[in-house]
Amino acid sequence: MLPRQVIQLPQAVIEVEVRNGYLLVVETGQLTTLADVTRYCDTIDRIIQESRIDMAIIDARGELGDPPEVVREAMWRWLTAEDRGFAVAAFVLPTEMAIARVNMTALVKGAKLRAFANVHDAQRWLLSRPRFATKPTLRAQEAQPPAPEPREQAESSTHRRLRPGEYKST
């Protein structure tokens, strides 16, 4: 098991601890530059690889203010990337407004994450999710649309769609 790791950034500290089946990431301070985001993401990706755990609870109640838009966009790109980051993540946020914003953004972007007001609810949701070995496997399985029904079956004589002007004979 990996020891607790600390990512020290100019205006933020991120602590990462391996828990039973997930990583607990506790964020305090603020990411203010793209360099901060790069260091954060690269370090978390390395921890995911070493621990072989790609699910996380991210406790962001210690964040200070909103990060710059460019930083927020870079984090969302990482969170939604198929080949990096977490397969599934639960955020713990300090306000209902922040929770709503993250949940709505995740929905729009198709990110496999949700935000909660406390660690207990986040953990319950996260651990109820199916476990997957790697993020690409999870995303690849979910990204494939269902196979289309063969045309012959769809237009069988008993269930053929009528054309305009046609009437079903009995």
Side-chain angles (χ1 to χ4, degrees), residues 3-167:
R4 188 175 120 241
Q5 298 194 28
V6 177
I7 306 167
Q8 183 68 52
L9 299 169
Q11 295 183 34
V13 175
I14 292 82
E15 297 177 47
V16 184
E17 184 179 323
V18 175
R19 293 284 177 96
N20 189 18
Y22 66 93
L23 298 175
L24 175 63
V25 179
V26 179
E27 302 174 343
T28 55
Q30 186 182 66
L31 301 179
T32 57
T33 67
L34 288 177
D36 291 347
V37 174
T38 299
R39 186 156 169 229
Y40 175 100
C41 295
D42 289 350
T43 304
I44 295 290
D45 284 337
R46 181 182 49 76
I47 294 169
I48 290 169
Q49 289 297 317
E50 290 174 4
S51 68
R52 303 186 55 76
I53 298 172
D54 62 359
M55 298 193 331
I57 293 177
I58 302 170
D59 186 343
R61 291 176 290 183
E63 285 185 352
L64 303 174
D66 285 331
E69 182 66 25
V70 67
V71 168
R72 198 167 37 251
E73 288 173 8
M75 284 300 292
W76 277 108
R77 278 193 305 276
W78 177 71
L79 287 166
T80 58
E82 290 191 21
D83 61 341
R84 300 187 67 188
F86 299 109
V88 182
F91 277 82
V92 181
L93 300 171
T95 67
E96 289 299 319
M97 182 64 78
I99 292 167
R101 184 179 64 210
V102 167
N103 283 334
M104 292 306 290
T105 304
L107 183 65
V108 167
K109 294 183 178 289
K112 300 297 178 201
L113 63 91
R114 258 191 84 196
F116 300 89
N118 61 66
V119 173
H120 177 76
D121 290 344
Q123 183 182 41
R124 186 174 46 193
W125 177 82
L126 184 71
L127 296 180
S128 70
R129 313 294 302 164
R131 293 182 186 263
F132 294 92
T134 63
K135 186 174 187 173
T137 302
L138 169 67
R139 296 258 171 107
Q141 287 175 350
E142 292 179 351
Q144 294 180 359
E149 189 176 315
R151 204 162 191 52
E152 300 80 35
Q153 274 185 316
E155 295 181 3
S156 70
S157 60
T158 58
H159 293 93
R160 186 175 66 85
R161 181 176 269 172
L162 297 176
R163 294 187 182 125
E166 278 187 320
Y167 297 96

